[in-house]
Amino acid sequence: MSMKRMGERGNLVCDRWILRMFVETAYFVLCNSYELLYTPHMANVELWRTSGHLEFYHESMFDQMQVEKETYQIRPMNCPFHVLIYKDGMKSYRDLPLRWAELGTVYRYERSGTLHGLFRVRGFTQDDAHIFCLPTQLEDEMTRVLELVERILGRFGFTKYEIMLSTRPEKSVGSDDIWEKATQALLNSLKNKGWDYSIDEGGGAFYGPKIDIKIRDAIGRLWQCSTVQCDFNLPERFDMTYIDSDGTKQRPIMVHRALLGSIERFMGVLVRLMQSNFDITFCHWLELFLPW
């Protein structure tokens, strides 16, 4: 490998590290209501059986492994760990919303023919977060997330997005009432921002409606970046509850959200935009930490 090429790769590693620092700093500067979590990279297979990943997502999961006569699974997602933390103690309606974030590395099986540079890999880090809230808090939480998306992407020069609101598919979990309220909350949050969007009828996840935000790279390709998803499945599967003001047990709404999405994929988009000119990159990254 040439010295020039080694230098480029070294700068790329440095830039990825700075990007990670930027995201973590943003949580403290912009998102002081988020707590940063660090969770294990694997768990007993029963966790993934309870979450439904083993049933619905097994084709994208790596093979299991035996550890001291027990079966373990490397994680394809971070969310079940955050659920376990929620369930570590009784919650009151006064405790909500809870906002937990993690720069967590996940591992997903991809066929070798589908791998594509930084854009599609088998192990990647997400700026993942989960919000646990009351139904009445959902619209405000969604609006807060979209405002955060706008500020974060804006620091990298992205001001134009393609936005899709995906609604209830034929096969889904959750009542008609909660789906209607959640979808309306997403619609209202988009209207609050004044953003143009398209509706993908029936394109939501089986566990809830979602908003996907895509950005364009230097050659015009669209890449999904930010996403906000309601989840009615995991609270049901893990029997998550909070004590309401009338003393009854109720289920919280769980919100999955990512700002940059995959750090590796976002770096790939930036590499295209900067045309691999990393000589000035470090100074450029330092500007990200100037006052917000």
Side-chain angles (χ1 to χ4, degrees):
M1 181 183 294
S2 68
M3 291 299 294
K4 181 176 184 296
R5 183 60 178 158
M6 288 178 65
E8 289 176 353
R9 294 192 65 179
N11 283 337
L12 184 57
V13 171
C14 179
D15 292 336
R16 185 185 181 282
W17 176 78
I18 294 175
L19 182 59
R20 183 186 180 100
M21 283 191 61
F22 163 72
V23 174
E24 291 189 341
T25 301
Y27 282 128
F28 289 106
V29 177
L30 290 180
C31 325
N32 54 10
S33 57
Y34 281 81
E35 292 182 75
L36 276 175
L37 304 181
Y38 299 90
T39 58
H41 287 235
M42 67 174 68
N44 191 289
V45 72
E46 290 305 314
L47 177 66
W48 309 106
R49 198 183 311 280
T50 302
S51 69
H53 288 92
L54 212 58
E55 178 181 358
F56 294 103
Y57 205 71
H58 69 277
E59 291 183 358
S60 297
M61 297 166 69
F62 281 98
D63 290 342
Q64 298 158 12
M65 63 188 77
Q66 297 296 316
V67 180
E68 296 182 351
K69 299 182 180 180
E70 292 193 29
T71 305
Y72 281 77
Q73 175 72 57
I74 196 165
R75 68 180 180 186
M77 296 184 185
N78 303 309
C79 32
F81 292 104
H82 293 197
V83 171
L84 291 183
I85 294 172
Y86 180 98
K87 285 181 63 65
D88 192 45
M90 185 177 295
K91 301 294 186 294
S92 163
Y93 71 97
R94 295 188 183 91
D95 298 321
L96 305 182
L98 292 170
R99 307 181 189 100
W100 293 334
E102 178 175 12
L103 279 168
T105 301
V106 296
Y107 308 90
R108 300 178 186 175
Y109 173 70
E110 300 279 359
R111 295 181 180 178
S112 57
T114 65
L115 300 177
H116 179 45
L118 289 171
F119 295 98
R120 191 155 188 174
V121 294
R122 288 174 171 158
F124 57 93
T125 301
Q126 291 180 310
D127 62 331
D128 209 3
H130 297 96
I131 302 168
F132 304 95
C133 66
L134 309 176
T136 55
Q137 297 170 333
L138 183 58
E139 183 178 330
D140 287 343
E141 290 303 311
M142 291 295 177
T143 301
R144 285 171 59 102
V145 169
L146 295 184
E147 289 174 349
L148 191 54
V149 166
E150 185 175 38
R151 296 191 70 179
I152 294 290
L153 294 184
R155 298 294 284 189
F156 293 94
F158 296 105
T159 57
K160 295 181 180 179
Y161 334 111
E162 290 204 10
I163 301 169
M164 185 73 69
L165 171 65
S166 301
T167 61
R168 188 176 191 173
E170 286 188 19
K171 295 183 178 181
S172 60
V173 297
S175 68
D176 293 341
D177 181 60
I178 194 66
W179 268 89
E180 183 178 341
K181 289 180 178 178
T183 303
Q184 190 60 50
L186 296 186
L187 280 168
N188 291 344
S189 65
L190 287 170
K191 290 176 181 177
N192 291 341
K193 291 301 299 173
W195 288 353
D196 294 328
Y197 60 90
S198 301
I199 294 182
D200 180 12
E201 293 288 354
F206 75 93
Y207 50 76
K210 62 177 181 173
I211 296 172
D212 290 329
I213 299 174
K214 298 180 180 181
I215 58 176
R216 291 190 181 273
D217 64 15
I219 59 177
R221 295 177 302 180
L222 281 171
W223 296 97
Q224 181 177 317
C225 182
S226 309
T227 186
V228 192
Q229 304 177 2
C230 295
D231 189 340
F232 315 129
N233 176 54
L234 290 184
E236 185 74 31
R237 282 180 170 270
F238 282 92
D239 192 27
M240 299 172 65
T241 61
Y242 65 89
I243 305 301
D244 208 352
S245 57
D246 61 1
T248 61
K249 286 187 177 182
Q250 302 293 334
R251 296 237 185 275
I253 291 181
M254 182 175 181
V255 176
H256 306 256
R257 79 106 185 93
L259 303 175
L260 303 181
S262 161
I263 299 297
E264 288 76 7
R265 182 170 56 199
F266 193 77
M267 277 298 303
V269 174
L270 291 180
V271 167
R272 291 280 190 180
L273 287 175
M274 301 184 70
Q275 299 179 344
S276 298
N277 183 13
F278 295 111
D279 293 336
I280 61 171
T281 303
F282 188 75
C283 292
H284 174 71
W285 289 135
L286 290 181
E287 294 177 4
L288 296 173
F289 295 92
L290 293 178
W292 293 79

